[in-house]
Amino acid sequence: MPPADTGASVTDRAAASPPSSTGSSASAAATDPESAKLRPGGPGYRRMSFALFAAGVATFALLYSTQALLPAISTDLAVSPDQASWTVSAATFGLALGVIPLSAVSERFGRRTLMTVSLTVATLIAMLVPFAPSLGVLIALRGIQGVALAGLPASAMAFLAEEVRAKALVAAIGLFVAGNSIGGMSGRIVTGWVAQAWGWRAALGAVGVLAVVCTVTFRLLVPKARHFVSRSVGPRALARTLGGHLADPLLRRLYAIGGLFMTVFGAVYTVIGYRLVADPFNLPQGIIGSIFVVYLVGTVSSAAAGKLVARTGRRGALYLAVGTTSTGLLLSLADSVYAVLAGLILITAGFFAGHAVASSSVSRTAKTARAQASALYQCAYYTGSSLGGALGAAAFYAVGWEGTVLLGLIAMVAAASITLYATRKAVAERRLLHLEKAA
């Protein structure tokens, strides 16, 4: 590991250095821009890491704040599961709509500024959400909140890439993703237990308080951007960039696979509360919220995805992710809480592995404008979450849990078919190349 860095800016270090070394330090920074960036060991890096972790916690706690509360919302507002599910789908769909235009806004006004504004607006809306007088108002507020939250995924990765040394980038992004995972899990657990004691409105208020703490923490700790260069991205230039990415067959397949995996995940976790609160389980709201601790399995499986790809290749890893997710779906059909829990573990592990493989492949495949390529993936990803939540709840309302499982299996068959097509295409290309070399 490199020597510990103070994390101070280039200017600060120059001011603290002896006069004789100032010129050489500036020259080194000019020759090697990476030397001026943050690296592990310094307070600047730690402040940045904690700031982005707090932002990740707030983002996912807010985004899925109503998911564990859907049975309670249905009962209190006298609405069906498919109607209540829109309190989740509206937020994820709003994020899907906002992530691409806000990625362009971040190029003009800065990542740090956009993240601060996004968190602040989303948190202010969170304080209004518990007082929504009707389902329609609640859904509208959640949709606006989703658009506001889109500023985080649209900016965070680019901010880290600009401010952190390349060798430390994976670890920095990993901590941000860990914040997403912890936020998604803790938000659901907190809302479950608070709702059991004081109702779903109090539970949403508790998430709002958590978001306030995270937003203040982020604003106090996030360092100033030292390497951001403002540039305007007009609508035409953005459209050309997006069109170029969508013209790439491999990127299109990766976007579709990410969306299909998220369709399963969105459907399962939107509906699972309704399944567990009813016969034969009859679990209380607090226990249902605690079920989301299985998110920790996703943290492990996504971290292991790199090793899996190294052993089996990208397509091999996707086949395993599809198989694991499908097995979990089938296992969840059993009327045993242990079987359902085991099924959720497999679904979560398979989803996070598939998501990690697909999302990392997007960054590797895109040769230019990677921020917009990733934004397109996130758009497909959260659109899948919205559709999964809405369609999964509708299937549950019409047929029962079997309908939700069938939807998930159809999505996994589609993901496997896309991967199989890519496999056959790759085999045919290798065979043709071999014949050309032989000739």
Side-chain angles (χ1 to χ4, degrees):
M1 188 175 74
D5 185 21
T6 63
S9 68
V10 177
T11 305
D12 293 337
R13 285 197 295 265
S17 300
S20 60
S21 64
T22 303
S24 59
S25 298
S27 176
T31 304
D32 180 18
E34 286 288 297
S35 65
K37 294 186 177 182
L38 299 173
R39 64 180 181 183
Y45 179 87
R46 288 194 294 271
R47 285 170 61 90
M48 178 276 303
S49 297
F50 284 124
L52 269 293
F53 179 83
V57 170
T59 300
F60 270 61
L62 290 173
L63 187 63
Y64 293 104
S65 59
T66 62
Q67 195 171 60
L69 303 173
L70 293 179
I73 292 173
S74 288
T75 300
D76 187 53
L77 299 181
V79 296
S80 62
D82 57 324
Q83 292 173 315
S85 71
W86 277 102
T87 63
V88 180
S89 293
T92 52
F93 189 60
L95 193 152
L97 287 177
V99 68
I100 291 176
L102 287 180
S103 71
V105 171
S106 77
E107 299 283 0
R108 174 67 179 86
F109 296 101
R111 330 295 188 187
R112 183 174 181 263
T113 299
L114 182 59
M115 288 189 288
T116 301
V117 173
S118 293
L119 273 180
T120 302
V121 173
T123 299
L124 289 174
I125 295 172
M127 305 310 293
L128 298 176
V129 164
F131 303 101
S134 65
L135 181 66
V137 174
L138 178 59
I139 290 172
L141 287 172
R142 293 282 292 148
I144 298 169
Q145 191 175 48
V147 174
L149 286 170
L152 266 296
S155 306
M157 299 303 181
F159 177 81
L160 291 171
E162 290 164 353
E163 303 300 325
V164 177
R165 293 190 181 189
K167 291 182 178 180
L169 186 58
V170 173
I173 291 177
L175 192 57
F176 175 66
V177 173
N180 294 164
S181 178
I182 296 298
M185 178 188 70
S186 61
R188 290 166 171 89
I189 293 174
V190 167
T191 54
W193 286 106
V194 173
Q196 182 173 314
W198 296 290
W200 66 272
R201 293 181 185 275
L204 291 178
V207 173
V209 172
L210 173 64
V212 169
V213 173
C214 288
T215 300
V216 172
T217 300
F218 169 81
R219 190 64 185 87
L220 291 176
L221 294 181
V222 66
K224 291 183 178 180
R226 304 291 185 183
H227 305 280
F228 170 74
V229 178
S230 176
R231 67 186 185 94
S232 296
V233 180
R236 291 183 179 179
L238 181 61
R240 284 196 301 271
T241 299
L242 298 177
H245 289 320
L246 291 174
D248 187 322
L250 176 54
L251 285 176
R252 288 202 304 270
R253 291 196 293 271
L254 292 171
Y255 296 151
I257 289 171
L260 288 166
F261 268 105
M262 193 54 165
T263 297
V264 177
F265 200 66
V268 167
Y269 277 99
T270 295
V271 176
I272 191 62
Y274 289 104
R275 174 160 166 74
L276 295 177
V277 79
D279 292 332
F281 305 106
N282 299 306
L283 296 180
Q285 188 69 54
I287 296 297
I288 292 173
S290 297
I291 294 263
F292 289 95
V293 75
V294 299
Y295 258 50
L296 293 176
V297 173
T299 304
V300 176
S301 68
S302 59
K307 294 180 180 179
L308 187 62
V309 170
R311 291 185 177 183
T312 66
R314 180 175 61 210
R315 288 182 292 274
L318 287 173
Y319 286 131
L320 287 173
V322 166
T324 302
T325 304
S326 300
T327 302
L329 286 167
L330 293 172
L331 189 58
S332 71
L333 289 168
D335 287 336
S336 162
V337 70
Y338 299 108
V340 172
L341 181 59
L344 287 177
I345 289 172
L346 290 178
I347 292 166
T348 304
F351 160 73
F352 273 102
H355 166 48
V357 173
S359 60
S360 62
S361 297
V362 167
S363 298
R364 188 166 58 249
T365 301
K367 303 303 180 186
T368 59
R370 287 188 174 92
Q372 280 68 46
S374 295
L376 275 172
Y377 177 83
Q378 290 163 3
C379 181
Y381 177 78
Y382 286 110
T383 298
S385 177
S386 300
L387 292 175
L391 295 177
F396 179 81
Y397 183 59
V399 182
W401 181 251
E402 293 81 4
T404 304
V405 168
L406 178 60
L407 172 68
L409 290 173
I410 291 172
M412 286 296 90
V413 168
S417 299
I418 293 171
T419 308
L420 179 60
Y421 169 80
T423 301
R424 296 180 67 178
K425 184 177 180 181
V427 169
E429 289 175 352
R430 284 198 298 268
R431 187 175 299 165
L432 180 60
L433 182 62
H434 179 73
L435 290 174
E436 289 177 350
K437 287 183 177 179

